[in-house]
Amino acid sequence: MKKTLPGFSFFEVIIYLGLFSVMATALLSFSLNVFDFGAKDKTSRQVLSDARFLTERITFLIRNAESIDDNASAFDTDSGKLVLRMMGSSNMQNIDIANGVLTVQETGYEPVNLHSQYSKVQSLVFSKYGSSGEHAEYISFTATLASAGNTESTVPSYQRTIVVKGGTFIRNSQKGL
């Protein structure tokens, strides 16, 4: 009787290597998809968070204003600008968009960004309904935000754009309602 040494034949090694490479490829593909989904989700969450904050802050500023400077404001244009007179003060607040950055600036102070560096404002449209004489001034706004293409999100599939709409009455104008 012939004694054989335990081990693998050449054919078995080829089969095991083939199975290992198929499993490794599937695992690598799955892990890349998980990381890809994470980056897309992070981009979406950042733009949505900025949009939410921007909407709440603009609404707060409008609601607490005493009046609007119609001559200095730009209504119904993509690069909207809103100039508000602060309650009980002669100071003004400018809500303005420049180079994709939405800022609010109070008289005598530096402008403050209303969103993070990871998003940009593509357009901002303010519309005014009513007048101070009618005691019902309503300001609506529509903003389009997009991811800014930061280092983690430079691939086009990672880009996210969102349109937010909001509006409110100027609190001082509601006295006659």
Side-chain angles (χ1 to χ4, degrees):
M1 217 171 191
K2 186 175 177 188
K3 226 178 187 183
T4 60
L5 296 173
F8 297 107
S9 70
F10 181 69
F11 183 70
E12 289 174 321
V13 169
I14 296 294
I15 289 176
Y16 293 140
L17 284 175
L19 288 174
F20 176 76
S21 65
V22 168
M23 289 176 48
T25 303
L27 185 63
L28 181 64
S29 175
F30 175 74
S31 61
L32 289 176
N33 283 337
V34 167
F35 289 126
D36 185 51
F37 179 74
K40 288 179 184 178
D41 184 54
K42 182 179 179 182
T43 301
S44 292
R45 282 186 289 122
Q46 184 64 52
V47 173
L48 185 60
S49 175
D50 284 347
R52 185 178 305 124
F53 178 78
L54 181 141
T55 302
E56 290 173 3
R57 190 66 188 161
I58 291 175
T59 301
F60 174 82
L61 293 171
I62 294 170
R63 187 176 294 136
N64 293 308
E66 184 174 308
S67 64
I68 301 169
D69 185 348
D70 291 335
N71 296 327
S73 298
F75 296 108
D76 301 319
T77 178
D78 281 345
S79 56
K81 179 179 182 180
L82 190 63
V83 181
L84 304 167
R85 181 175 313 282
M86 294 176 64
M87 187 72 71
S89 172
S90 62
N91 287 350
M92 304 295 273
Q93 288 179 325
N94 296 324
I95 302 171
D96 197 6
I97 180 176
N99 299 324
V101 179
L102 182 64
T103 60
V104 61
Q105 181 177 15
E106 187 176 332
T107 305
Y109 294 97
E110 291 292 317
V112 176
N113 295 351
L114 291 181
H115 56 91
S116 72
Q117 64 186 2
Y118 301 114
S119 62
K120 61 184 174 186
V121 179
Q122 293 178 332
S123 70
L124 177 65
V125 178
F126 288 106
S127 298
K128 180 181 175 188
Y129 303 97
S131 68
S132 59
E134 297 171 355
H135 299 291
E137 286 179 289
Y138 184 84
I139 304 296
S140 70
F141 58 91
T142 304
T144 304
L145 274 80
S147 51
N150 56 350
T151 56
E152 295 177 17
S153 301
T154 54
V155 180
S157 64
Y158 293 174
Q159 299 301 309
R160 169 71 181 201
T161 303
I162 187 169
V163 176
V164 292
K165 296 181 180 189
T168 188
F169 284 95
I170 294 179
R171 197 173 277 174
N172 190 42
S173 296
Q174 295 185 31
K175 290 180 183 174
L177 293 176

